[in-house]
Amino acid sequence: MVQVIEMTDIGNGRPSNQDAYLMRQKEYQGEICLLAAVCDGMGGLKRGEIASRYLIEVLKQWFDEVMPNLIKQKNMDLIRKDLIGLIRKSNQNLLLMSEDIDETMGSTLTLLFAFKKRFFVLNVGDSRAYWFDQGKKYVTTDHTLAQLEVKAGHMTKEQAKKDPRRHILIQCVGVTKDIKIDSYCGTLEPGMEFLLCTDGFYGLLEEEEIYHVDSDQRKMKIWVERCFEKVKERGELDNLSCVLIRVP
């Protein structure tokens, strides 16, 4: 089984925790099948909390009831397309739920699915997935106004870290009818590490702090705890959550 550390914290400035996360793994024909996700809800009162937890419950149900039949076909593209369809359907359901209460609610969603020697990451919003493979570092792209400015060449990555538009989402689940779901695919290698986290976790950490992950499970837990301490000491007001995964 893979090594996993999961943690969430309400943070310094929120009345409730609107983050939610998921970690599921099971063995199928001697191979590990894994689904992990983080969500950062948004909306008045506890509406964001409802949206993020709704997405996590939908993914749990999919993993327990739908995935076992899909995995028999051993087709990762089919599984990826099915999850993308599930996210789009969840987006429509959240829109209907918002209409019923006349109040918008939505959530970011970043997920990892892995089976045998392959994995994929799906992303909507500004929660992130990082993955590290033999010294190479990868990270999802934020769906924010600040990131659009970086892509257009109007500001640098360093400037974007302090720009107030870094908090303005242009994509999330449950707010608009059409959503763009980023998809990243790769080969699963021994020793690879994955970090899924909300913006409250990564927002006040430097890249080198995020990329310096200790490898054994005890040290992984200490590393996560220290990151939480650093972020809160630096004044982060948002909820913060992460799932850290290491492939043996």
Side-chain angles (χ1 to χ4, degrees), residues 8 16 23 36 56 58 84 102 133 138-139 153 159 174 205 219 242:
T8 189
S16 64
M23 176 65 210
I56 292 300
V58 165
I84 288 173
D102 196 26
D133 179 20
Y138 304 89
V139 63
Q159 290 171 328
L205 291 175
K219 290 182 179 179
C242 75

Side-chain angles (χ1 to χ4, degrees), residues 2 36 40 47 50 60 71-72 76 98-99 122 124 129 141 160 167 172-173 176 181-182 198 222 234:
V2 300
D40 183 357
R47 304 306 185 195
I50 293 171
K60 282 181 184 176
I71 208 73
K72 292 176 184 177
M76 285 288 278
S98 294
E99 287 179 9
L122 301 178
V124 186
T141 298
H167 297 303
C172 70
V173 185
T176 59
I181 303 167
D182 286 347
T198 57
I222 292 171
R234 293 171 187 176

Side-chain angles (χ1 to χ4, degrees), residues 137 158 161 205-213 223 230:
K137 307 172 181 69
E158 289 302 314
K161 287 181 181 179
L205 291 175
E206 299 296 330
E207 280 194 3
E208 57 266 25
E209 293 177 300
I210 293 174
Y211 291 142
H212 185 66
V213 181
W223 180 85
K230 287 177 187 176

Side-chain angles (χ1 to χ4, degrees), residues 26-44:
K26 65 171 59 176
E27 191 173 301
Y28 178 77
Q29 294 186 348
E31 300 283 352
I32 295 300
C33 180
L34 177 153
L35 175 66
V38 294
C39 296
D40 183 357
M42 60 209 67

